[in-house]
mmCIF file of all heavy atoms in Angstrom:
data_model
loop_
_atom_site.group_PDB
_atom_site.id
_atom_site.type_symbol
_atom_site.label_atom_id
_atom_site.label_comp_id
_atom_site.label_asym_id
_atom_site.label_seq_id
_atom_site.Cartn_x
_atom_site.Cartn_y
_atom_site.Cartn_z
ATOM 1 N N PHE J 251 -13.761 -6.929 11.795
ATOM 2 C CA PHE J 251 -13.861 -7.066 10.306
ATOM 3 C C PHE J 251 -14.526 -8.399 9.924
ATOM 4 O O PHE J 251 -15.445 -8.478 9.147
ATOM 5 C CB PHE J 251 -12.497 -6.942 9.660
ATOM 6 C CG PHE J 251 -12.461 -7.457 8.222
ATOM 7 C CD1 PHE J 251 -13.155 -6.760 7.234
ATOM 8 C CD2 PHE J 251 -11.780 -8.598 7.885
ATOM 9 C CE1 PHE J 251 -13.158 -7.230 5.941
ATOM 10 C CE2 PHE J 251 -11.782 -9.074 6.577
ATOM 11 C CZ PHE J 251 -12.480 -8.385 5.596
ATOM 12 N N PHE J 259 -17.356 -8.542 1.780
ATOM 13 C CA PHE J 259 -16.106 -8.065 1.228
ATOM 14 C C PHE J 259 -15.975 -8.430 -0.254
ATOM 15 O O PHE J 259 -15.642 -7.571 -1.096
ATOM 16 C CB PHE J 259 -14.929 -8.633 2.021
ATOM 17 C CG PHE J 259 -13.560 -8.323 1.415
ATOM 18 C CD1 PHE J 259 -12.911 -7.143 1.735
ATOM 19 C CD2 PHE J 259 -12.983 -9.166 0.486
ATOM 20 C CE1 PHE J 259 -11.673 -6.841 1.150
ATOM 21 C CE2 PHE J 259 -11.744 -8.873 -0.097
ATOM 22 C CZ PHE J 259 -11.093 -7.697 0.236
ATOM 23 N N TYR J 274 -16.653 -2.273 2.683
ATOM 24 C CA TYR J 274 -16.500 -3.571 3.350
ATOM 25 C C TYR J 274 -15.039 -4.013 3.462
ATOM 26 O O TYR J 274 -14.715 -5.167 3.653
ATOM 27 C CB TYR J 274 -17.339 -4.623 2.623
ATOM 28 C CG TYR J 274 -18.799 -4.372 2.833
ATOM 29 C CD1 TYR J 274 -19.553 -3.711 1.864
ATOM 30 C CD2 TYR J 274 -19.435 -4.748 4.016
ATOM 31 C CE1 TYR J 274 -20.918 -3.460 2.071
ATOM 32 C CE2 TYR J 274 -20.771 -4.455 4.215
ATOM 33 C CZ TYR J 274 -21.494 -3.820 3.242
ATOM 34 O OH TYR J 274 -22.829 -3.549 3.460
ATOM 35 N N HIS J 275 -14.127 -3.031 3.297
ATOM 36 C CA HIS J 275 -12.699 -3.375 3.370
ATOM 37 C C HIS J 275 -12.269 -3.557 4.838
ATOM 38 O O HIS J 275 -12.935 -3.098 5.764
ATOM 39 C CB HIS J 275 -11.884 -2.284 2.670
ATOM 40 C CG HIS J 275 -12.157 -2.287 1.195
ATOM 41 N ND1 HIS J 275 -11.442 -3.070 0.323
ATOM 42 C CD2 HIS J 275 -13.089 -1.635 0.469
ATOM 43 C CE1 HIS J 275 -11.922 -2.886 -0.909
ATOM 44 N NE2 HIS J 275 -12.907 -2.012 -0.838
ATOM 45 N N SER J 276 -11.114 -4.209 5.024
ATOM 46 C CA SER J 276 -10.766 -4.630 6.335
ATOM 47 C C SER J 276 -10.097 -3.557 7.191
ATOM 48 O O SER J 276 -10.108 -3.617 8.399
ATOM 49 C CB SER J 276 -9.828 -5.848 6.290
ATOM 50 O OG SER J 276 -8.568 -5.447 5.738
ATOM 51 N N ARG J 277 -9.410 -2.607 6.543
ATOM 52 C CA ARG J 277 -8.639 -1.572 7.229
ATOM 53 C C ARG J 277 -7.515 -2.233 8.092
ATOM 54 O O ARG J 277 -7.162 -1.732 9.181
ATOM 55 C CB ARG J 277 -9.519 -0.736 8.096
ATOM 56 C CG ARG J 277 -8.984 0.679 8.310
ATOM 57 C CD ARG J 277 -9.955 1.600 9.010
ATOM 58 N NE ARG J 277 -9.866 1.545 10.438
ATOM 59 C CZ ARG J 277 -9.800 2.636 11.216
ATOM 60 N NH1 ARG J 277 -9.777 3.807 10.678
ATOM 61 N NH2 ARG J 277 -9.745 2.516 12.506
ATOM 62 N N LEU J 278 -6.989 -3.338 7.587
ATOM 63 C CA LEU J 278 -5.979 -4.085 8.375
ATOM 64 C C LEU J 278 -4.575 -3.926 7.836
ATOM 65 O O LEU J 278 -3.597 -4.386 8.440
ATOM 66 C CB LEU J 278 -6.325 -5.576 8.450
ATOM 67 C CG LEU J 278 -7.614 -5.927 9.216
ATOM 68 C CD1 LEU J 278 -7.918 -7.407 9.095
ATOM 69 C CD2 LEU J 278 -7.474 -5.569 10.710
ATOM 70 N N SER J 279 -4.410 -3.305 6.670
ATOM 71 C CA SER J 279 -3.068 -3.239 6.076
ATOM 72 C C SER J 279 -2.063 -2.543 6.989
ATOM 73 O O SER J 279 -0.939 -3.049 7.152
ATOM 74 C CB SER J 279 -3.111 -2.454 4.752
ATOM 75 O OG SER J 279 -3.785 -1.225 4.935
ATOM 76 N N ALA J 280 -2.466 -1.455 7.637
ATOM 77 C CA ALA J 280 -1.542 -0.716 8.496
ATOM 78 C C ALA J 280 -1.039 -1.583 9.620
ATOM 79 O O ALA J 280 0.180 -1.680 9.867
ATOM 80 C CB ALA J 280 -2.211 0.557 9.034
ATOM 81 N N MET J 282 -0.999 -4.826 9.856
ATOM 82 C CA MET J 282 -0.168 -5.907 9.351
ATOM 83 C C MET J 282 1.208 -5.399 9.000
ATOM 84 O O MET J 282 2.229 -6.014 9.312
ATOM 85 C CB MET J 282 -0.816 -6.585 8.158
ATOM 86 C CG MET J 282 -1.786 -7.650 8.528
ATOM 87 S SD MET J 282 -2.267 -8.651 7.104
ATOM 88 C CE MET J 282 -3.562 -7.663 6.477
ATOM 89 N N ASN J 283 1.273 -4.239 8.361
ATOM 90 C CA ASN J 283 2.573 -3.708 7.927
ATOM 91 C C ASN J 283 3.428 -3.268 9.106
ATOM 92 O O ASN J 283 4.640 -3.238 9.011
ATOM 93 C CB ASN J 283 2.382 -2.545 6.932
ATOM 94 C CG ASN J 283 1.707 -3.016 5.657
ATOM 95 O OD1 ASN J 283 1.515 -4.237 5.450
ATOM 96 N ND2 ASN J 283 1.328 -2.123 4.778
ATOM 97 N N PHE J 313 -10.678 -12.376 -0.187
ATOM 98 C CA PHE J 313 -9.835 -11.754 0.862
ATOM 99 C C PHE J 313 -8.486 -12.484 1.015
ATOM 100 O O PHE J 313 -7.412 -11.853 1.053
ATOM 101 C CB PHE J 313 -10.605 -11.769 2.168
ATOM 102 C CG PHE J 313 -9.892 -11.130 3.310
ATOM 103 C CD1 PHE J 313 -9.752 -9.749 3.363
ATOM 104 C CD2 PHE J 313 -9.346 -11.877 4.337
ATOM 105 C CE1 PHE J 313 -9.061 -9.149 4.411
ATOM 106 C CE2 PHE J 313 -8.680 -11.271 5.393
ATOM 107 C CZ PHE J 313 -8.536 -9.916 5.417
ATOM 108 N N GLN J 316 -5.854 -11.580 -1.418
ATOM 109 C CA GLN J 316 -5.117 -10.310 -1.159
ATOM 110 C C GLN J 316 -3.938 -10.565 -0.227
ATOM 111 O O GLN J 316 -2.844 -10.016 -0.420
ATOM 112 C CB GLN J 316 -6.032 -9.231 -0.545
ATOM 113 C CG GLN J 316 -7.365 -9.029 -1.204
ATOM 114 C CD GLN J 316 -7.230 -8.653 -2.642
ATOM 115 O OE1 GLN J 316 -6.299 -7.958 -3.061
ATOM 116 N NE2 GLN J 316 -8.119 -9.145 -3.484
ATOM 117 N N ILE J 317 -4.175 -11.394 0.786
ATOM 118 C CA ILE J 317 -3.161 -11.572 1.825
ATOM 119 C C ILE J 317 -2.052 -12.544 1.348
ATOM 120 O O ILE J 317 -0.864 -12.254 1.422
ATOM 121 C CB ILE J 317 -3.819 -12.178 3.117
ATOM 122 C CG1 ILE J 317 -4.997 -11.349 3.570
ATOM 123 C CG2 ILE J 317 -2.750 -12.339 4.225
ATOM 124 C CD1 ILE J 317 -4.676 -10.050 4.172
ATOM 125 N N TRP J 320 -1.405 -11.198 -3.286
ATOM 126 C CA TRP J 320 -0.812 -9.904 -3.565
ATOM 127 C C TRP J 320 0.237 -9.403 -2.544
ATOM 128 O O TRP J 320 1.288 -8.938 -2.911
ATOM 129 C CB TRP J 320 -1.948 -8.837 -3.662
ATOM 130 C CG TRP J 320 -2.659 -8.935 -4.972
ATOM 131 C CD1 TRP J 320 -3.972 -9.251 -5.158
ATOM 132 C CD2 TRP J 320 -2.137 -8.661 -6.321
ATOM 133 N NE1 TRP J 320 -4.290 -9.237 -6.500
ATOM 134 C CE2 TRP J 320 -3.184 -8.879 -7.208
ATOM 135 C CE3 TRP J 320 -0.898 -8.260 -6.781
ATOM 136 C CZ2 TRP J 320 -3.017 -8.714 -8.597
ATOM 137 C CZ3 TRP J 320 -0.719 -8.122 -8.140
ATOM 138 C CH2 TRP J 320 -1.763 -8.338 -9.021
ATOM 139 N N ARG J 321 -0.115 -9.549 -1.261
ATOM 140 C CA ARG J 321 0.767 -8.961 -0.268
ATOM 141 C C ARG J 321 2.150 -9.623 -0.283
ATOM 142 O O ARG J 321 3.185 -8.914 -0.247
ATOM 143 C CB ARG J 321 0.131 -9.141 1.148
ATOM 144 C CG ARG J 321 0.861 -8.414 2.240
ATOM 145 C CD ARG J 321 0.069 -8.421 3.527
ATOM 146 N NE ARG J 321 0.724 -7.531 4.491
ATOM 147 C CZ ARG J 321 1.663 -7.923 5.322
ATOM 148 N NH1 ARG J 321 2.073 -9.199 5.307
ATOM 149 N NH2 ARG J 321 2.255 -7.081 6.155
ATOM 150 N N VAL J 324 3.984 -8.897 -3.974
ATOM 151 C CA VAL J 324 4.609 -7.593 -4.243
ATOM 152 C C VAL J 324 5.929 -7.462 -3.431
ATOM 153 O O VAL J 324 6.884 -6.809 -3.896
ATOM 154 C CB VAL J 324 3.683 -6.392 -3.956
ATOM 155 C CG1 VAL J 324 2.443 -6.414 -4.840
ATOM 156 C CG2 VAL J 324 3.301 -6.258 -2.500
ATOM 157 N N TYR J 373 -6.325 7.096 4.448
ATOM 158 C CA TYR J 373 -6.815 5.821 3.914
ATOM 159 C C TYR J 373 -7.633 6.033 2.672
ATOM 160 O O TYR J 373 -8.409 6.982 2.566
ATOM 161 C CB TYR J 373 -7.713 5.090 4.962
ATOM 162 C CG TYR J 373 -8.242 3.791 4.454
ATOM 163 C CD1 TYR J 373 -7.568 2.582 4.659
ATOM 164 C CD2 TYR J 373 -9.468 3.756 3.739
ATOM 165 C CE1 TYR J 373 -8.074 1.384 4.164
ATOM 166 C CE2 TYR J 373 -9.969 2.527 3.233
ATOM 167 C CZ TYR J 373 -9.270 1.391 3.469
ATOM 168 O OH TYR J 373 -9.754 0.191 2.981
ATOM 169 N N ALA J 374 -7.442 5.158 1.673
ATOM 170 C CA ALA J 374 -8.382 5.021 0.573
ATOM 171 C C ALA J 374 -8.371 3.534 0.268
ATOM 172 O O ALA J 374 -7.310 2.875 0.449
ATOM 173 C CB ALA J 374 -7.982 5.829 -0.651
ATOM 174 N N HIS J 375 -9.483 2.988 -0.214
ATOM 175 C CA HIS J 375 -9.438 1.570 -0.469
ATOM 176 C C HIS J 375 -8.818 1.281 -1.845
ATOM 177 O O HIS J 375 -8.540 2.190 -2.607
ATOM 178 C CB HIS J 375 -10.777 0.876 -0.243
ATOM 179 C CG HIS J 375 -11.902 1.395 -1.085
ATOM 180 N ND1 HIS J 375 -11.997 1.094 -2.411
ATOM 181 C CD2 HIS J 375 -12.953 2.181 -0.768
ATOM 182 C CE1 HIS J 375 -13.059 1.675 -2.891
ATOM 183 N NE2 HIS J 375 -13.661 2.353 -1.921
ATOM 184 N N HIS J 376 -8.626 -0.012 -2.108
ATOM 185 C CA HIS J 376 -7.806 -0.386 -3.268
ATOM 186 C C HIS J 376 -8.295 0.213 -4.583
ATOM 187 O O HIS J 376 -7.487 0.718 -5.394
ATOM 188 C CB HIS J 376 -7.786 -1.916 -3.350
ATOM 189 C CG HIS J 376 -6.860 -2.438 -4.400
ATOM 190 N ND1 HIS J 376 -5.495 -2.281 -4.325
ATOM 191 C CD2 HIS J 376 -7.125 -3.010 -5.613
ATOM 192 C CE1 HIS J 376 -4.967 -2.813 -5.399
ATOM 193 N NE2 HIS J 376 -5.908 -3.256 -6.195
ATOM 194 N N ILE J 377 -9.572 0.165 -4.819
ATOM 195 C CA ILE J 377 -10.079 0.606 -6.140
ATOM 196 C C ILE J 377 -9.966 2.153 -6.245
ATOM 197 O O ILE J 377 -9.695 2.696 -7.306
ATOM 198 C CB ILE J 377 -11.500 0.089 -6.368
ATOM 199 C CG1 ILE J 377 -11.440 -1.409 -6.618
ATOM 200 C CG2 ILE J 377 -12.155 0.738 -7.599
ATOM 201 C CD1 ILE J 377 -10.593 -1.890 -7.822
ATOM 202 N N ARG J 379 -7.479 3.782 -4.920
ATOM 203 C CA ARG J 379 -6.025 4.008 -5.193
ATOM 204 C C ARG J 379 -5.693 3.654 -6.643
ATOM 205 O O ARG J 379 -4.909 4.330 -7.307
ATOM 206 C CB ARG J 379 -5.139 3.165 -4.269
ATOM 207 C CG ARG J 379 -5.319 3.520 -2.794
ATOM 208 C CD ARG J 379 -4.313 2.795 -1.907
ATOM 209 N NE ARG J 379 -4.821 2.681 -0.559
ATOM 210 C CZ ARG J 379 -4.082 2.400 0.498
ATOM 211 N NH1 ARG J 379 -2.793 2.205 0.375
ATOM 212 N NH2 ARG J 379 -4.632 2.290 1.695
ATOM 213 N N LEU J 380 -6.304 2.548 -7.121
ATOM 214 C CA LEU J 380 -5.920 2.037 -8.439
ATOM 215 C C LEU J 380 -6.704 2.800 -9.536
ATOM 216 O O LEU J 380 -6.090 3.248 -10.513
ATOM 217 C CB LEU J 380 -6.256 0.539 -8.528
ATOM 218 C CG LEU J 380 -5.831 -0.148 -9.835
ATOM 219 C CD1 LEU J 380 -4.302 -0.136 -10.008
ATOM 220 C CD2 LEU J 380 -6.328 -1.625 -9.834
ATOM 221 N N GLY J 384 -4.718 6.653 -9.094
ATOM 222 C CA GLY J 384 -3.696 6.021 -9.902
ATOM 223 C C GLY J 384 -4.014 6.125 -11.361
ATOM 224 O O GLY J 384 -3.140 6.481 -12.194
ATOM 225 N N TYR J 401 2.128 8.533 -3.039
ATOM 226 C CA TYR J 401 1.527 7.346 -2.399
ATOM 227 C C TYR J 401 2.299 6.982 -1.152
ATOM 228 O O TYR J 401 1.679 6.583 -0.130
ATOM 229 C CB TYR J 401 1.444 6.175 -3.354
ATOM 230 C CG TYR J 401 0.243 6.177 -4.254
ATOM 231 C CD1 TYR J 401 0.314 6.674 -5.536
ATOM 232 C CD2 TYR J 401 -1.005 5.718 -3.786
ATOM 233 C CE1 TYR J 401 -0.800 6.666 -6.370
ATOM 234 C CE2 TYR J 401 -2.096 5.718 -4.626
ATOM 235 C CZ TYR J 401 -2.005 6.208 -5.891
ATOM 236 O OH TYR J 401 -3.096 6.202 -6.730
ATOM 237 N N TYR J 405 -0.532 7.571 2.725
ATOM 238 C CA TYR J 405 -1.300 6.458 3.299
ATOM 239 C C TYR J 405 -0.637 5.923 4.580
ATOM 240 O O TYR J 405 0.556 5.751 4.613
ATOM 241 C CB TYR J 405 -1.529 5.341 2.283
ATOM 242 C CG TYR J 405 -2.498 5.837 1.196
ATOM 243 C CD1 TYR J 405 -2.067 6.091 -0.075
ATOM 244 C CD2 TYR J 405 -3.806 6.136 1.557
ATOM 245 C CE1 TYR J 405 -2.950 6.645 -1.051
ATOM 246 C CE2 TYR J 405 -4.669 6.691 0.611
ATOM 247 C CZ TYR J 405 -4.250 6.913 -0.678
ATOM 248 O OH TYR J 405 -5.124 7.473 -1.570
ATOM 249 N N ASP J 407 -0.645 3.095 5.729
ATOM 250 C CA ASP J 407 -0.070 1.747 5.579
ATOM 251 C C ASP J 407 1.136 1.727 4.661
ATOM 252 O O ASP J 407 1.629 0.665 4.254
ATOM 253 C CB ASP J 407 -1.163 0.784 5.055
ATOM 254 C CG ASP J 407 -1.752 1.196 3.700
ATOM 255 O OD1 ASP J 407 -1.102 1.997 2.976
ATOM 256 O OD2 ASP J 407 -2.882 0.738 3.431
ATOM 257 N N ALA J 408 1.581 2.917 4.217
ATOM 258 C CA ALA J 408 2.625 2.971 3.159
ATOM 259 C C ALA J 408 4.028 2.625 3.697
ATOM 260 O O ALA J 408 4.556 3.297 4.551
ATOM 261 C CB ALA J 408 2.639 4.303 2.524
ATOM 262 N N VAL J 409 4.567 1.520 3.209
ATOM 263 C CA VAL J 409 5.951 1.151 3.378
ATOM 264 C C VAL J 409 6.414 0.763 1.982
ATOM 265 O O VAL J 409 5.663 0.170 1.204
ATOM 266 C CB VAL J 409 6.098 -0.053 4.334
ATOM 267 C CG1 VAL J 409 7.577 -0.297 4.650
ATOM 268 C CG2 VAL J 409 5.314 0.123 5.616
ATOM 269 N N TRP J 411 8.166 -1.455 0.375
ATOM 270 C CA TRP J 411 8.086 -2.803 -0.239
ATOM 271 C C TRP J 411 6.724 -3.069 -0.860
ATOM 272 O O TRP J 411 6.600 -3.818 -1.816
ATOM 273 C CB TRP J 411 8.478 -3.897 0.759
ATOM 274 C CG TRP J 411 7.515 -4.019 1.920
ATOM 275 C CD1 TRP J 411 7.611 -3.482 3.156
ATOM 276 C CD2 TRP J 411 6.263 -4.762 1.943
ATOM 277 N NE1 TRP J 411 6.560 -3.813 3.954
ATOM 278 C CE2 TRP J 411 5.710 -4.595 3.238
ATOM 279 C CE3 TRP J 411 5.575 -5.553 1.028
ATOM 280 C CZ2 TRP J 411 4.493 -5.150 3.605
ATOM 281 C CZ3 TRP J 411 4.366 -6.093 1.401
ATOM 282 C CH2 TRP J 411 3.826 -5.922 2.680
ATOM 283 N N VAL J 412 5.676 -2.486 -0.256
ATOM 284 C CA VAL J 412 4.342 -2.758 -0.774
ATOM 285 C C VAL J 412 3.833 -1.619 -1.679
ATOM 286 O O VAL J 412 3.177 -1.833 -2.674
ATOM 287 C CB VAL J 412 3.367 -3.079 0.372
ATOM 288 C CG1 VAL J 412 3.316 -2.016 1.446
ATOM 289 C CG2 VAL J 412 1.909 -3.332 -0.136
ATOM 290 N N GLU J 413 4.228 -0.406 -1.327
ATOM 291 C CA GLU J 413 3.743 0.747 -2.087
ATOM 292 C C GLU J 413 4.338 0.804 -3.459
ATOM 293 O O GLU J 413 3.660 1.009 -4.453
ATOM 294 C CB GLU J 413 4.052 2.050 -1.251
ATOM 295 C CG GLU J 413 3.793 3.327 -1.939
ATOM 296 C CD GLU J 413 4.938 3.772 -2.848
ATOM 297 O OE1 GLU J 413 6.103 3.390 -2.581
ATOM 298 O OE2 GLU J 413 4.651 4.402 -3.863
ATOM 299 N N ASN J 416 3.036 -1.642 -6.177
ATOM 300 C CA ASN J 416 1.657 -1.331 -6.490
ATOM 301 C C ASN J 416 1.570 -0.057 -7.340
ATOM 302 O O ASN J 416 0.742 0.019 -8.256
ATOM 303 C CB ASN J 416 0.867 -1.140 -5.200
ATOM 304 C CG ASN J 416 0.235 -2.420 -4.718
ATOM 305 O OD1 ASN J 416 -0.588 -3.035 -5.427
ATOM 306 N ND2 ASN J 416 0.654 -2.909 -3.575
ATOM 307 N N VAL J 417 2.388 0.921 -7.039
ATOM 308 C CA VAL J 417 2.311 2.206 -7.744
ATOM 309 C C VAL J 417 2.989 2.074 -9.098
ATOM 310 O O VAL J 417 2.383 2.277 -10.170
ATOM 311 C CB VAL J 417 2.891 3.349 -6.919
ATOM 312 C CG1 VAL J 417 3.004 4.608 -7.731
ATOM 313 C CG2 VAL J 417 2.069 3.575 -5.663
ATOM 314 N N MET J 420 1.584 -2.057 -10.696
ATOM 315 C CA MET J 420 0.174 -2.295 -10.952
ATOM 316 C C MET J 420 -0.520 -1.057 -11.478
ATOM 317 O O MET J 420 -1.338 -1.108 -12.405
ATOM 318 C CB MET J 420 -0.540 -2.759 -9.649
ATOM 319 C CG MET J 420 -1.974 -3.173 -9.917
ATOM 320 S SD MET J 420 -2.888 -3.497 -8.439
ATOM 321 C CE MET J 420 -2.198 -5.004 -7.873
ATOM 322 N N SER J 421 -0.243 0.102 -10.925
ATOM 323 C CA SER J 421 -0.992 1.275 -11.257
ATOM 324 C C SER J 421 -0.427 2.058 -12.454
ATOM 325 O O SER J 421 -1.203 2.481 -13.314
ATOM 326 C CB SER J 421 -1.098 2.153 -10.000
ATOM 327 O OG SER J 421 -1.418 3.481 -10.321
ATOM 328 N N MET J 429 4.789 -6.470 -13.169
ATOM 329 C CA MET J 429 3.754 -6.798 -12.178
ATOM 330 C C MET J 429 2.376 -7.037 -12.813
ATOM 331 O O MET J 429 1.665 -7.941 -12.390
ATOM 332 C CB MET J 429 3.694 -5.573 -11.222
ATOM 333 C CG MET J 429 2.519 -5.555 -10.326
ATOM 334 S SD MET J 429 3.052 -5.669 -8.675
ATOM 335 C CE MET J 429 1.507 -5.375 -7.823
HETATM 336 C C1 LIG P 3 -1.516 2.575 -6.240
HETATM 337 C C2 LIG P 3 -1.624 1.675 -5.060
HETATM 338 C C3 LIG P 3 -0.838 1.924 -3.922
HETATM 339 C C4 LIG P 3 -0.921 1.058 -2.833
HETATM 340 N N1 LIG P 3 -0.120 1.335 -1.733
HETATM 341 C C5 LIG P 3 -0.198 0.480 -0.678
HETATM 342 C C6 LIG P 3 0.605 0.723 0.504
HETATM 343 O O1 LIG P 3 1.356 1.712 0.556
HETATM 344 N N2 LIG P 3 0.539 -0.123 1.529
HETATM 345 C C7 LIG P 3 -0.310 -1.229 1.512
HETATM 346 O O2 LIG P 3 -0.354 -1.975 2.489
HETATM 347 N N3 LIG P 3 -1.040 -1.457 0.421
HETATM 348 C C8 LIG P 3 -1.037 -0.677 -0.658
HETATM 349 N N4 LIG P 3 -1.810 -0.938 -1.743
HETATM 350 C C9 LIG P 3 -2.614 -2.162 -1.769
HETATM 351 C C10 LIG P 3 -4.067 -1.996 -1.233
HETATM 352 O O3 LIG P 3 -4.698 -0.930 -1.898
HETATM 353 C C11 LIG P 3 -4.082 -1.724 0.263
HETATM 354 O O4 LIG P 3 -3.387 -2.751 0.901
HETATM 355 C C12 LIG P 3 -5.520 -1.741 0.803
HETATM 356 O O5 LIG P 3 -6.250 -0.745 0.138
HETATM 357 C C13 LIG P 3 -5.480 -1.460 2.291
HETATM 358 O O6 LIG P 3 -6.804 -1.369 2.795
HETATM 359 P P1 LIG P 3 -7.471 -2.571 3.601
HETATM 360 O O7 LIG P 3 -6.576 -3.027 4.664
HETATM 361 O O8 LIG P 3 -8.839 -2.122 3.946
HETATM 362 O O9 LIG P 3 -7.469 -3.705 2.472
HETATM 363 P P2 LIG P 3 -8.522 -4.826 2.055
HETATM 364 O O10 LIG P 3 -9.175 -4.422 0.824
HETATM 365 O O11 LIG P 3 -9.360 -5.191 3.206
HETATM 366 O O12 LIG P 3 -7.535 -6.044 1.680
HETATM 367 C C14 LIG P 3 -7.051 -6.941 2.678
HETATM 368 C C15 LIG P 3 -5.557 -6.925 2.803
HETATM 369 O O13 LIG P 3 -4.971 -7.487 1.617
HETATM 370 C C16 LIG P 3 -3.688 -6.871 1.399
HETATM 371 N N5 LIG P 3 -3.711 -6.318 0.038
HETATM 372 C C17 LIG P 3 -4.799 -6.025 -0.694
HETATM 373 N N6 LIG P 3 -4.412 -5.612 -1.939
HETATM 374 C C18 LIG P 3 -3.046 -5.604 -1.935
HETATM 375 C C19 LIG P 3 -2.072 -5.273 -2.899
HETATM 376 N N7 LIG P 3 -2.402 -4.865 -4.139
HETATM 377 N N8 LIG P 3 -0.790 -5.374 -2.557
HETATM 378 C C20 LIG P 3 -0.414 -5.798 -1.345
HETATM 379 N N9 LIG P 3 -1.306 -6.152 -0.377
HETATM 380 C C21 LIG P 3 -2.600 -6.052 -0.689
HETATM 381 C C22 LIG P 3 -3.523 -5.754 2.429
HETATM 382 O O14 LIG P 3 -2.694 -6.222 3.470
HETATM 383 C C23 LIG P 3 -4.954 -5.533 2.964
HETATM 384 O O15 LIG P 3 -4.997 -5.126 4.297
HETATM 385 C C24 LIG P 3 -1.769 -0.091 -2.854
HETATM 386 C C25 LIG P 3 -2.546 -0.309 -4.006
HETATM 387 C C26 LIG P 3 -2.458 0.556 -5.072
HETATM 388 C C27 LIG P 3 -3.238 0.259 -6.300
#
Side-chain angles (χ1 to χ4, degrees):
F251 164 69
F259 173 87
Y274 291 98
H275 293 272
S276 68
R277 207 173 89 131
L278 293 174
S279 51
M282 273 193 276
N283 297 351
F313 183 72
Q316 311 303 324
I317 307 287
W320 283 114
R321 188 170 189 273
V324 299
Y373 179 91
H375 60 73
H376 186 68
I377 291 299
R379 296 187 205 197
L380 185 64
Y401 276 97
Y405 290 110
D407 57 22
V409 188
W411 65 264
V412 54
E413 173 276 332
N416 270 298
V417 172
M420 187 188 289
S421 160
M429 167 117 171

